[in-house]
Amino acid sequence: MHSESKDKITRPKKRPPERAVSKDSRRGVATIWVVGFGPALLGLLVLVTEISSLWLARIELETAVEAGALACVKVWGGSADTSPNRDTAAAAGVSFAQANTVLGNTFTIPPSSATFGSYAIATRTFTAGDPIIPNDGTRAVILYATVDVPGLWNGFGGPRSIQARATALYDTSSTPAPRIVSVTTVNP
């Protein structure tokens, strides 16, 4: 009898059949995901395009102000330091700056946005000067511009102002004589 129990094979117990997931029970899951994450992805898209637009406006304004500052210092740097020459240089700088666009829009800046002075290369400092500045390689001009940039998405976030400033030096020891020494952008 003992040998009979050895020969007997025991079968494992059958598991109850797993419940099959029907298509009906999963219907609508994709809709929940789209409704949940759709607005978040749309908001992220709006934010990314707004930031990209501001970045492009900043670069275009910097380019415009650099062109204006270089034109201004080139006209003024090689001539006598007189009030009419400063006025002519300021007009040239403003004209060159305004020849550029920011996000496809033209902008205006007053001639008073050009500040004439001298620039110390060693200390990297600009000193505005009303008296006559000798043409000794230190003449410099700072040109300012402020542009309002509209929001892309129907005013999302409202308009923003971007201000740029470029300093150009008429350096007689270098070739070419006019050169940019500083560019600053401020996003208030």
Side-chain angles (χ1 to χ4, degrees):
M1 276 210 199
H2 188 48
S3 65
E4 278 183 31
S5 63
K6 282 185 175 182
D7 293 337
K8 199 176 192 185
I9 300 174
T10 58
R11 294 186 180 182
K13 292 183 181 180
K14 288 186 178 179
R15 287 192 232 168
E18 291 185 22
R19 187 173 151 223
V21 178
S22 70
K23 290 182 181 179
D24 290 337
S25 67
R26 296 189 56 182
R27 189 171 293 178
V29 172
T31 304
I32 292 171
W33 280 98
V34 169
V35 168
F37 285 108
L41 291 175
L42 184 62
L44 184 62
L45 174 70
V46 168
L47 181 66
V48 166
T49 55
E50 281 292 318
I51 291 171
S52 300
S53 172
L54 283 173
W55 191 269
L56 178 61
R58 180 187 68 86
I59 291 170
E60 289 177 348
L61 183 61
E62 282 181 358
T63 302
V65 172
E66 285 177 3
L70 281 172
C72 191
V73 80
K74 186 172 185 175
V75 169
W76 177 59
S79 62
D81 187 17
T82 63
S83 183
N85 284 347
R86 284 187 182 197
D87 293 343
T88 303
V94 167
S95 175
F96 269 73
Q98 290 176 348
N100 294 278
T101 61
V102 175
L103 297 179
N105 299 317
T106 59
F107 63 97
T108 58
I109 55 176
S112 61
S113 62
T115 304
F116 296 87
S118 61
Y119 187 81
I121 296 172
T123 59
R124 300 186 68 137
T125 56
F126 177 84
T127 305
D130 283 333
I132 295 175
I133 299 171
N135 194 359
D136 59 357
T138 62
R139 284 187 180 179
V141 175
I142 294 180
L143 188 66
Y144 298 90
T146 302
V147 174
D148 290 328
V149 179
L152 288 178
W153 296 89
N154 293 328
F156 174 74
R160 293 172 176 81
S161 290
I162 299 176
Q163 182 183 34
R165 177 183 75 199
T167 305
L169 169 69
Y170 193 84
D171 187 1
T172 55
S173 66
S174 70
T175 303
R179 63 183 172 122
I180 293 290
V181 291
S182 168
V183 177
T184 305
T185 306
V186 179
N187 296 338

